[in-house]
Amino acid sequence: MEIDALINQIYSDKMNSICFDCGNENPVFVSINNGIFLCDQCATVHMSFPQGISIIENNDLYALSENDLKFLALGGNTRLNDFILDEFPKLENYAQKLLYKTRGLDYYRKRLYYYVNGGVEPKRPSQIVGCQLIPDNYYSHNNYIKKNEKRV
């Protein structure tokens, strides 16, 4: 897909103009593997997460790779919000520092990765399992997108 078409698709989600976590306007960062836009304060929290939970980049879309843009085009603030409300509504009440560490959000990241890169489609966890936290060292034992992995 052409870069401009991806960027247009990303901008078509009006919710991408606010921070997913706090609602501040004009977010300056993106979480690539979560496919969302974040303000500087919320991005700082994401940077403190264990490896693989949130890959933070500046939101200069023209500086991102085509693959990174696909994560944002297929994700986006609206899509993640709808996912939480439709598939794991109990997660709506989780604090920011816990939400992204749940098996439900891990499934979302894996599903987004599957949509962008193909491979094996992840299995959806049950409501109970989806609300459980993943261990902090989880991504060091799994071979899917990590902070320093090339995402071409």
Side-chain angles (χ1 to χ4, degrees):
M1 188 177 240
E2 185 182 312
I3 299 291
D4 288 331
L6 286 169
I7 290 173
N8 287 337
Q9 184 176 345
I10 292 165
Y11 283 136
S12 72
D13 181 352
K14 300 301 180 207
M15 294 300 293
N16 289 343
S17 65
I18 63 170
C19 175
F20 180 82
D21 287 348
C22 73
N24 282 342
E25 293 183 0
N26 303 315
V28 293
F29 290 96
V30 293
S31 171
I32 299 295
N33 59 332
N34 288 291
I36 56 172
F37 288 74
L38 300 166
C39 70
D40 55 349
Q41 290 179 332
C42 291
T44 301
V45 173
H46 280 247
M47 289 178 206
S48 72
F49 291 157
Q51 183 174 359
I53 289 181
S54 194
I55 299 169
I56 302 298
E57 297 286 349
N58 187 289
N59 78 347
D60 178 3
L61 299 184
Y62 286 98
L64 297 175
S65 72
E66 182 176 352
N67 203 51
D68 288 351
L69 291 172
K70 287 178 183 177
F71 273 89
L72 296 170
L74 295 171
N77 289 7
T78 298
R79 186 154 294 142
L80 180 54
N81 187 63
D82 290 349
F83 167 82
I84 292 169
L85 294 175
D86 295 344
E87 298 197 36
F88 296 97
K90 289 183 180 180
L91 295 181
E92 185 180 17
N93 298 319
Y94 277 51
Q96 177 191 32
K97 288 191 176 214
L98 296 178
L99 174 65
Y100 296 94
K101 297 178 183 180
T102 62
R103 294 196 181 275
L105 266 282
D106 179 58
Y107 164 70
Y108 180 83
R109 287 187 291 274
K110 287 179 179 176
R111 191 172 74 174
L112 191 54
Y113 184 86
Y114 166 75
Y115 291 150
V116 171
N117 296 303
V120 178
E121 186 170 3
K123 292 183 180 181
R124 183 187 181 282
S126 68
Q127 287 292 317
I128 294 170
V129 172
C131 293
Q132 294 174 352
L133 299 180
I134 57 175
D136 282 349
N137 65 350
Y138 177 78
Y139 288 103
S140 64
H141 300 347
N142 289 283
N143 260 348
Y144 119 90
I145 202 162
K146 296 183 177 129
K147 282 186 181 176
N148 298 318
E149 180 180 311
K150 190 174 181 183
R151 298 179 310 274
V152 258

